[in-house]
Amino acid sequence: MPETGPTVVLPGRPLTSGELLDSAVLLLRGQASVLLPLAAVLAAGEQLLLLPLRTVVGATGPLWWASGLSEFGIFWFLLALGAATEAMIILLLGNPAAHAAAGALVGRRATATDAWRPGGRWGATVLLCPAVGAVMLLASLLGPAWFVGFALLGAVAPALVVDRVAPVRAINRSVALALRLTGRAAALRLLGYLVWWIIRVGLGWGLFTGLTELDLVAESWANAVAMLVWAAVNAVAYAALACLDAVVHLETRIRSEGLDIRLARAPAAPRATDLLAVGG
């Protein structure tokens, strides 16, 4: 087991909500060379995907709203599609984040190439992306159901990568873990999203407003700059949320499955992360 201390990502014991948020940031800092470039590519792709709908509703700047009832349907679909794409991006980023978190728990620092090695379960992760996206799109179209969908799907990538469950079981295991301990993991995922949503809005709005107030952005470039700003802040937020999913998953297993005891009693193994698998 790794030593405990303020700089340890996962000290192998139950953590408070604040400690889990700190652990996620520490994990992101340690894996920034892997997570941030991938997050930047995915976040930029998301902005390009949403561009046609943003053009229809006349969106300029980092925040916008439907200009009339005739556009509200398209605007609502734009929000729902954005919720679906960000859930899919967080799932993809959850793969390397879960690899790194598992290594941190057993006292092994993940390298930049670990997540890309054979057996990284990228095929299964990509396979589940459309399913997670469809669930979140439908939930978001129903309004408040988004909270339920997002709260329950945080452990899909960790279930695949760390627990090594079959893809058909990953979503069920994610839901089951989210509801354990009176829904603690679900509440933590929503809390993390809220924290990073506030940060995203503050940074995005503040940066765009500052650039425009200084007359550094021509009107014809406003939409492109807004997309660039959102892609930048979202890249960091999505990577951080993926790291939070990973550490919350492992901490939930420590609380509800005695994972820390299992690791403490297990003999040394060449691949210590194999001890985290539940199979199936």
Side-chain angles (χ1 to χ4, degrees), residues 97 125 200 220:
T125 306
R200 281 192 286 170
S220 58

Side-chain angles (χ1 to χ4, degrees), residues 25-110:
V25 173
L26 287 173
L27 182 63
L28 173 58
R29 187 175 68 181
Q31 297 299 310
S33 62
V34 175
L35 292 172
L36 292 184
L38 178 59
V41 171
L42 294 173
E46 177 189 34
Q47 291 301 309
L48 292 175
L49 177 66
L50 299 178
L51 178 60
L53 287 176
R54 289 188 57 175
T55 302
V56 170
V57 299
T60 58
L63 298 176
W64 64 90
W65 190 257
S67 59
L69 290 177
S70 61
E71 295 180 353
F72 186 77
I74 298 176
F75 173 77
W76 190 259
F77 182 75
L78 174 60
L79 291 181
L81 184 59
T85 55
E86 68 180 14
M88 296 169 68
I89 292 172
I90 294 170
L91 171 62
L92 291 173
L93 294 171
N95 184 300
H99 272 289
L105 182 61
V106 298
R108 182 177 61 83
R109 181 179 177 83

Side-chain angles (χ1 to χ4, degrees), residues 162-233:
V162 180
D163 300 354
R164 313 298 293 182
V165 302
V168 294
R169 286 190 54 207
I171 291 180
N172 289 338
R173 179 153 173 82
S174 177
V175 172
L177 288 171
L179 295 177
R180 286 182 185 174
L181 307 170
T182 65
R184 183 174 181 272
L188 284 169
R189 195 176 201 225
L190 289 175
L191 173 63
Y193 187 90
L194 175 61
V195 169
W196 279 101
W197 182 82
I198 293 172
I199 293 173
R200 281 192 286 170
V201 171
L203 287 176
W205 180 257
L207 180 58
F208 183 83
T209 301
L211 291 174
T212 53
E213 288 294 324
L214 293 173
D215 292 327
L216 297 177
V217 179
E219 185 176 351
S220 58
W221 285 91
N223 204 31
V225 172
M227 291 172 60
L228 181 62
V229 168
W230 268 129
V233 297

